[in-house]
């Protein structure tokens, strides 16, 4: 696998050769996007080893049997049905609701974008369409909070895990703050940061799994 760190219209490319096996080229981007692009490219190689795959960042994908298999393969690889059901059930039972914070947590847990997770939840019928629309709006509002202080087109970098803190602990702290059970100052104490730093890091937390606009070219959208 090769990663291109220069701006390009290419999202991913892949080919198979009997002498060297499969080769995949990805354009550097957010971790969820690269994971989706890689899984999608591997699906193409499994479905058709005779033809090279070239995926343009701005171009629509053709509706072909190979494309349908690649999308389904990527969804099953990154978001296996049994694992997602178990994780989703645990979060839902503990919180007794499905919120935008829970969706962000699950997306980061599986290392995929919110859009990919949303499509998989809908395909497995784990969440109603009305609930998904409400979550979409909540995430959109959270992400738009950055725009007044950011240059147009600027993307926040991926937010790494909080040092020494499990992902689930961060999720619980964020949920408690959203429900107004703790103050912003107490949230900063729980996460080991200052109030100002916590705001930026939570914004990056949202941005790390949320595409800036529309469906990314490497999104995992199973055919159904």
């Amino acid at each position: 696998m090769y990663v291109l760190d220069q701006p390009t219209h290419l999202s991913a490319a892949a080919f198979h050769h009997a002498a060297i096996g499969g080769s995949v080229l990805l354009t550097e981007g957010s971790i969820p996007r690269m994971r989706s692009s890689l899984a999608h490219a591997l699906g193409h190689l499994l479905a058709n080893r005779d033809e090279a795959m070239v995926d343009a960042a701005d171009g629509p994908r053709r509706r072909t049997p190979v494309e349908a298999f690649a999308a389904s393969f990527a969804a099953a690889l990154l978001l296996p049905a049994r694992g997602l059901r178990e994780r989703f059930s645990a979060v839902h039972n503990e919180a007794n609701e499905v919120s935008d914070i829970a969706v962000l947590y699950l997306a980061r847990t599986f290392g995929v974008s919110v859009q990919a997770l949303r499509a998989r939840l809908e395909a497995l019928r784990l969440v109603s369409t009305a609930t998904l629309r409400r979550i979409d709006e909540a995430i959109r509002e959270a992400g738009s909070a950055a725009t007044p202080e950011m240059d147009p087109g600027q993307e926040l970098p991926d937010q790494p895990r909080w040092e020494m803190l499990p992902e689930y602990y961060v999720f619980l702290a964020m949920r408690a703050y959203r429900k107004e059970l703790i103050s912003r100052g107490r949230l900063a104490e729980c996460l080991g940061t200052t109030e100002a730093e916590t705001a930026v890091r939570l914004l990056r937390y949202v941005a790390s799994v949320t595409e800036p606009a529309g469906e990314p070219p490497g999104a995992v959208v199973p055919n159904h």
Side-chain angles (χ1 to χ4, degrees), residues 39-218:
H40 193 269
L42 293 177
H44 266 275
L45 290 179
L46 287 174
N48 187 350
R49 297 189 177 186
D50 298 328
E51 295 182 6
M53 183 213 77
V54 177
D55 195 0
D58 302 325
R61 285 180 175 156
R62 294 180 299 171
R63 296 290 182 177
T64 65
V66 172
E67 170 61 28
F69 174 83
S72 297
F73 172 82
L77 180 65
L78 298 177
L79 293 160
R82 180 175 179 179
L84 180 56
R85 283 193 177 100
E86 289 179 353
R87 289 274 187 171
F88 176 83
S89 178
V91 171
H92 183 272
N93 290 340
E94 196 278 334
N96 199 29
E97 66 174 349
V98 183
S99 66
D100 55 321
I101 299 298
V103 169
L104 290 171
Y105 163 70
L106 287 173
R108 285 181 59 88
T109 298
F110 284 94
V112 299
S113 68
V114 168
Q115 290 83 355
L117 175 67
R118 183 195 187 285
R120 191 65 165 153
L121 289 173
E122 189 171 21
L124 295 175
R125 298 184 179 180
L126 294 176
V127 183
S128 67
T129 301
T131 300
L132 286 173
R133 289 174 180 170
R134 175 176 55 79
I135 292 173
D136 289 342
E137 184 61 29
I139 293 176
R140 192 178 300 112
E141 291 178 0
S144 64
T147 52
E149 301 176 2
M150 294 173 59
D151 297 329
Q154 180 184 0
E155 292 187 29
L156 288 169
D158 290 333
Q159 172 61 48
R161 296 178 183 273
W162 261 261
E163 293 79 0
M164 305 300 291
L165 296 179
E167 193 84 10
Y168 194 67
Y169 177 88
V170 179
F171 159 63
L172 291 177
M174 292 175 63
R175 199 186 71 191
Y177 175 69
R178 179 66 65 84
K179 289 180 172 292
E180 299 183 350
L181 299 177
I182 60 176
S183 65
R184 180 177 296 182
R186 180 55 179 159
L187 175 64
E189 291 180 12
C190 292
L191 299 179
T193 63
T194 63
E195 290 190 28
E197 183 183 358
T198 298
V200 173
R201 294 187 71 174
L202 290 181
L203 186 59
R204 288 177 174 174
Y205 191 97
V206 175
S208 68
V209 289
T210 308
E211 296 295 338
E215 193 69 43

Side-chain angles (χ1 to χ4, degrees), residues 22-36:
S23 294
V24 179
L25 172 68
L26 301 176
T27 297
E28 186 174 20
S30 67
I31 292 176
R33 173 177 288 190
M34 293 178 67
R35 282 169 55 86
S36 294

